[in-house]
Amino acid sequence: MDQDILMSRDHPGLAEVMKLKDVIRADQVAQDVWEDCLARFMGINRTDSRCMDVIDRHGKITAGTLASEARLTTGAVTVVVDRLEAVGYVVRERDPADRRKVWISITPIAGEISSRVFAHFQLLTPLLISRYSPDQLSAIVEFLEVGTRVNLELATILEQHVDRKGTTPQALLVAARQFERNGARHMKAMIDALLNGTPDK
């Protein structure tokens, strides 16, 4: 994509793209507020809540897959699952076909709590169906899928610039510049692949 055209103030759609950026940032804040409140409601921390969401989405999951999706070490996941099991939110079960494999799943009571807490979101379904065409809904899904991929892949790159020993704002600025360069190269390759219809690896 021509960078000069993209950055031109006269480019059709640029105003809507800038508005979209602001709306996404506002939505992310709202999501954070909701997730903080939900974690407090459940009596757990945000990491535990994130892991519960991953487990619930899969139905059942192994510790290794949970660690990968939640971006945690296997040791950290063990601690998380121990906490969630202690409060009755998840259960571990050995696979009857492979006793070495342990599945983690949400307990029935945790599932019911979740379904009731999120029940009001189901009211959005008639609105979405009546207001947007199937093609528009597909475009929204595609946009969110791309956003998910971008966030996760850039988080992997940013993690490489995290200083575990602490740092100063000046040192962070240097790291931010390095991340910007690395992230830009990665994003360009990702965008080129998406524009060319290259399937995910």
Side-chain angles (χ1 to χ4, degrees):
M1 183 179 294
D2 189 327
Q3 193 70 14
D4 293 333
I5 293 177
L6 180 62
M7 297 308 296
S8 172
R9 294 184 181 274
D10 297 327
H11 189 271
L14 181 59
E16 289 303 313
V17 170
M18 298 306 294
K19 181 179 179 181
L20 177 62
K21 182 186 73 171
D22 289 340
V23 169
I24 290 173
R25 293 180 69 179
D27 178 67
Q28 288 174 334
V29 171
Q31 290 280 2
D32 280 343
V33 171
W34 166 256
E35 292 294 340
D36 282 341
C37 185
L38 177 62
R40 292 196 305 273
F41 175 79
M42 298 291 291
I44 57 181
N45 62 45
R46 282 289 299 273
T47 299
D48 293 0
S49 181
R50 183 167 84 246
C51 288
M52 275 193 68
D53 188 42
V54 174
I55 297 167
D56 191 32
R57 186 156 44 84
H58 281 266
K60 64 178 182 178
I61 194 172
T62 64
T65 303
L66 177 57
S68 177
E69 290 211 16
R71 299 299 177 99
L72 298 171
T73 65
T74 53
V77 160
T78 298
V79 174
V80 168
V81 175
D82 284 345
R83 284 197 299 260
L84 292 175
E85 192 173 36
V87 295
Y89 290 159
V90 304
V91 62
R92 291 178 170 103
E93 295 179 305
R94 290 198 176 275
D95 190 322
D98 183 356
R99 301 297 293 176
R100 296 169 300 177
K101 181 180 293 184
V102 177
W103 293 104
I104 305 162
S105 59
I106 299 294
T107 61
I109 191 168
E112 183 174 356
I113 293 170
S114 178
S115 65
R116 292 183 182 278
V117 168
F118 286 95
H120 61 287
F121 284 110
Q122 296 179 8
L123 299 176
L124 290 173
T125 301
L127 171 65
L128 293 172
I129 292 175
S130 64
R131 188 158 185 171
Y132 302 102
S133 69
D135 285 344
Q136 289 173 320
L137 290 173
S138 294
I140 293 172
V141 169
E142 181 182 9
F143 174 78
L144 293 175
E145 288 175 342
V146 170
T148 298
R149 177 180 170 185
V150 167
N151 284 333
L152 290 176
E153 294 197 18
L154 289 185
T156 299
I157 298 174
L158 185 59
E159 183 69 30
Q160 298 169 7
H161 298 275
V162 174
D163 187 345
R164 304 295 181 188
K165 299 178 181 179
T167 187
T168 64
Q170 291 76 16
L172 277 176
L173 180 57
V174 173
R177 289 169 177 159
Q178 294 172 341
F179 167 73
E180 181 182 24
R181 290 192 294 270
N182 294 340
R185 287 194 295 269
H186 193 83
M187 280 291 294
K188 185 179 185 306
M190 189 189 309
I191 291 171
D192 287 344
L194 290 169
L195 290 175
N196 294 327
T198 304
D200 294 345
K201 293 181 179 180

